[in-house]
Amino acid sequence: MTIQSTTNPIKISPQEKAHRYFLAASHCNAQKELSLSLFAQQLIDVAVQHANSLNIGYARLKSIGALWVLSRITVAMHRMPHIEENYTIVTWIESFQRMFSHRNFVIYADNGEQLGFARTLWVAIDEQTRRPADLSGLISDEDILSERDCPIPVPAKLRDFKEAPDMEHYRFQATDIDFNRHVNSTRYIELILNQWSLEFHDRYKIVYFDINYRNEAHFGERVTICLQRDESSAKIKIEGESHCVCMSEIRFAERGI
Amino acid sequence: MTIQSTTNPIKISPQEKAHRYFLAASHCNAQKELSLSLFAQQLIDVAVQHANSLNIGYARLKSIGALWVLSRITVAMHRMPHIEENYTIVTWIESFQRMFSHRNFVIYADNGEQLGFARTLWVAIDEQTRRPADLSGLISDEDILSERDCPIPVPAKLRDFKEAPDMEHYRFQATDIDFNRHVNSTRYIELILNQWSLEFHDRYKIVYFDINYRNEAHFGERVTICLQRDESSAKIKIEGESHCVCMSEIRFAERGI
């Protein structure tokens, strides 16, 4: 199977799923690029489509009283797609254990250039107890794993930190909440990106981003966004009223002229 | 031309453009419905596609030094599409004057049920002077107008008001800014919806929404969201540092059990 492309066809295996996107002007960020939060949304969309097509999606898990929770996203980018560019996101499952699914992504320009990669970790939890669910026997590995390489090293768990010279507060509002009644996964990414000015984002692009989702935040909850930053990177913690909500790391690189 | 539908085909004329959507769970709001801000984004997307296909889109206007600015959105809904529902947005141009385009929309469920309607007003402005641009001769009316009716009465201009018992402040951040370097049109809608609690949105649905975009807001600008509200409706003004940014009116109705 190949995806339509102007010059260099993008090959995907039967174990993989691809979706070709067009970045309309009205979907761009201020830098006329795909924003990191919309990119994360699209990773989730492609993952859901692939899981559904393998019959290991939400519907199948619901039938055994379980659901998928996104636990981690790690992104490494050469560049983001730019305004009115077509690009293709390909996803595959690297490994599938009793309670986890390691799902990776590569993003292609239409000329076959690899724009970047992403790793995600999904955890199956029991709908009632919210404890990890056991998916043993749901599917056999051979059916679904792809041998494609993901060049992003598996990141270590992000460690908590105490001292944060920069702190900001935010209280979650109605439009921040998703169908699960928790704060939308992509909204945390926006909160993080908003710790830098527009001028900074004009000058620097994101080359690496890692987020560990720890505990769900809810409507009305007040969080503290804690930063340890230097010129071109930062460690971020979003602290809720009683729990750490997420930990993140971001690295920037100066854009070319 | 007909759009794929399970029971009742949705007929559109050659002067119209349709786009069929699927509302994935991860795109829903907390009420498991299409949010008003995503709906507004989709109206803009379908409008842009239609204008491009008629060769009166951004590219054509840019060639004469002009651009389209969205001046107003008016929405009247029976109900919003719900989680995992397919729906179709049809757009047509009601009238096209020297500097304005009145573009309407109807939204269909797959069974042919009309879920609601929208009116939009687009103004062509000169890229340099930011004054209205003259599009006379760009296209002849007969080619592009549809005779479909839009049952929403043309709303009167929303009037400014002075007394606002409810006021809240917000400062625009990096992810609020679009490719034009102004605040994204849909972001104002979120600011407005966030003047009500999650519990209120659970109990009430939006049946009418009107927004007049007056002046563009920018990164770092601090706005005041002023409300005159009663139990199931409100008039809203978003006031910038030197200008009124937008005026809006919203009406809710209690959801059925």
Side-chain angles (χ1 to χ4, degrees):
Chain A
M1 182 181 172
T2 56
I3 297 297
Q4 184 197 341
S5 164
T6 48
T7 53
N8 197 349
I10 296 155
K11 291 189 179 60
I12 68 163
S13 80
Q15 285 77 33
E16 297 171 342
K17 177 109 183 166
H19 196 289
R20 187 163 180 255
Y21 288 94
F22 171 74
L23 184 61
S26 67
H27 292 235
C28 288
N29 64 11
Q31 290 75 40
K32 300 190 179 184
E33 291 172 349
L34 177 63
S35 69
L36 185 64
S37 55
L38 182 54
F39 183 43
Q41 180 63 58
Q42 293 177 343
L43 297 179
I44 294 168
D45 291 345
V46 176
V48 167
Q49 288 166 22
H50 191 210
N52 286 341
S53 71
L54 292 170
N55 194 25
I56 52 166
Y58 284 103
R60 174 84 178 281
L61 261 63
K62 202 176 169 61
S63 74
I64 60 164
L67 54 88
W68 285 120
V69 172
L70 178 57
S71 171
R72 183 167 202 161
I73 308 175
T74 312
V75 170
M77 296 302 287
H78 298 299
R79 70 167 175 89
M80 280 292 186
H82 53 65
I83 187 167
E84 300 197 327
E85 182 173 10
N86 286 296
Y87 58 98
T88 298
I89 298 176
V90 179
T91 186
W92 72 98
I93 301 178
E94 181 179 274
S95 67
F96 188 84
Q97 287 125 15
R98 275 199 314 149
M99 306 159 184
F100 302 102
S101 171
H102 291 267
R103 174 184 285 288
N104 300 337
F105 304 83
V106 54
I107 176 168
Y108 285 106
D110 261 6
N111 66 2
E113 181 195 356
Q114 291 177 343
L115 302 183
F117 287 86
R119 289 185 171 277
T120 57
L121 174 62
W122 298 76
V123 183
I125 65 166
D126 184 287
E127 258 186 313
Q128 300 303 323
T129 65
R130 316 297 287 182
R131 300 288 309 154
D134 189 343
L135 301 184
S136 309
L138 204 66
I139 203 159
S140 64
D141 272 6
E142 313 80 84
D143 299 340
I144 59 166
L145 302 188
S146 163
E147 292 186 353
R148 191 190 284 260
D149 264 347
C150 181
I152 308 177
V154 177
K157 188 175 168 182
L158 292 173
R159 277 184 305 173
D160 199 354
F161 54 85
K162 291 281 167 249
E163 274 185 38
D166 284 6
M167 300 219 291
E168 218 182 87
H169 301 289
Y170 181 75
R171 190 178 296 279
F172 288 113
Q173 300 189 279
T175 64
D176 299 328
I177 308 301
D178 73 8
F179 74 107
N180 273 320
R181 311 289 286 183
H182 308 134
V183 172
N184 197 307
S185 309
T186 63
R187 186 62 181 131
Y188 300 116
I189 299 177
E190 291 184 335
L191 290 190
I192 292 168
L193 298 182
N194 285 336
Q195 302 310 307
W196 286 267
S197 70
L198 195 61
E199 291 65 30
F200 182 91
H201 287 291
D202 289 343
R203 191 166 160 197
Y204 291 90
K205 63 178 181 178
I206 298 158
V207 290
Y208 182 83
F209 179 76
D210 189 20
I211 186 165
N212 291 195
Y213 296 106
R214 293 275 181 88
N215 288 285
E216 294 143 346
H218 298 87
F219 173 76
E221 186 167 351
R222 183 172 178 271
V223 289
T224 307
I225 303 138
C226 312
L227 270 91
Q228 285 185 335
R229 63 174 130 195
D230 61 28
E231 200 196 339
S232 64
S233 73
K235 294 186 195 306
I236 305 106
K237 172 170 64 169
I238 301 183
E239 186 87 42
E241 286 168 7
S242 57
H243 291 98
C244 170
V245 172
C246 60
M247 300 290 305
S248 176
E249 185 181 341
I250 192 165
R251 296 180 211 146
F252 299 93
E254 208 156 354
R255 295 170 187 276
I257 305 301
Chain B
M1 182 182 170
T2 56
I3 298 296
Q4 185 196 339
S5 164
T6 48
T7 52
N8 196 350
I10 296 156
K11 291 189 180 61
I12 67 164
S13 78
Q15 285 77 34
E16 298 172 340
K17 178 108 182 167
H19 197 290
R20 186 162 179 257
Y21 287 94
F22 171 74
L23 184 62
S26 68
H27 292 236
C28 288
N29 63 12
Q31 291 74 42
K32 301 190 177 183
E33 292 171 349
L34 177 64
S35 70
L36 186 64
S37 55
L38 182 54
F39 183 42
Q41 180 63 57
Q42 293 177 341
L43 296 179
I44 294 168
D45 291 344
V46 176
V48 167
Q49 289 166 20
H50 191 210
N52 286 340
S53 70
L54 292 171
N55 194 24
I56 52 167
Y58 284 104
R60 174 85 179 281
L61 260 63
K62 202 175 168 62
S63 74
I64 59 164
L67 55 87
W68 285 120
V69 172
L70 178 58
S71 171
R72 182 166 204 163
I73 307 176
T74 312
V75 169
M77 294 304 284
H78 298 299
R79 70 167 175 89
M80 279 291 185
H82 52 65
I83 187 167
E84 300 198 328
E85 183 173 9
N86 287 296
Y87 57 97
T88 299
I89 298 177
V90 179
T91 187
W92 72 97
I93 301 177
E94 180 179 273
S95 67
F96 189 84
Q97 286 126 14
R98 275 199 315 150
M99 307 161 183
F100 301 102
S101 170
H102 290 268
R103 172 183 286 287
N104 300 338
F105 304 82
V106 53
I107 176 167
Y108 285 105
D110 261 6
N111 66 2
E113 181 195 356
Q114 291 178 343
L115 302 183
F117 287 85
R119 289 185 170 277
T120 58
L121 174 62
W122 299 76
V123 183
I125 65 166
D126 185 287
E127 258 187 312
Q128 300 304 321
T129 65
R130 315 297 287 183
R131 301 288 309 155
D134 189 343
L135 301 183
S136 309
L138 202 68
I139 201 159
S140 64
D141 273 4
E142 312 82 82
D143 299 340
I144 58 166
L145 302 188
S146 163
E147 292 186 354
R148 192 190 284 259
D149 263 348
C150 182
I152 308 177
V154 177
K157 189 176 169 182
L158 291 173
R159 277 183 306 172
D160 199 353
F161 54 85
K162 290 281 166 249
E163 276 185 35
D166 284 6
M167 300 218 293
E168 218 182 89
H169 301 288
Y170 181 75
R171 191 178 296 279
F172 288 113
Q173 298 189 281
T175 64
D176 298 328
I177 308 300
D178 74 7
F179 75 107
N180 273 322
R181 311 290 286 182
H182 308 134
V183 172
N184 197 307
S185 308
T186 63
R187 186 62 182 131
Y188 301 116
I189 299 176
E190 292 184 335
L191 290 191
I192 292 169
L193 298 182
N194 285 335
Q195 303 309 307
W196 286 268
S197 71
L198 195 61
E199 291 66 30
F200 182 91
H201 286 291
D202 289 343
R203 191 166 162 198
Y204 291 90
K205 63 179 181 177
I206 299 159
V207 291
Y208 182 83
F209 179 75
D210 189 20
I211 186 165
N212 291 194
Y213 296 106
R214 293 273 180 90
N215 289 283
E216 294 143 345
H218 297 87
F219 173 77
E221 187 168 351
R222 184 171 178 270
V223 290
T224 307
I225 302 138
C226 312
L227 271 91
Q228 285 185 334
R229 63 173 130 193
D230 60 29
E231 200 196 338
S232 64
S233 72
K235 293 184 194 308
I236 305 106
K237 171 170 65 170
I238 301 183
E239 186 87 41
E241 287 169 6
S242 57
H243 291 97
C244 170
V245 171
C246 60
M247 300 291 305
S248 177
E249 186 181 341
I250 191 165
R251 294 179 212 148
F252 299 94
E254 207 156 354
R255 295 172 188 274
I257 307 301

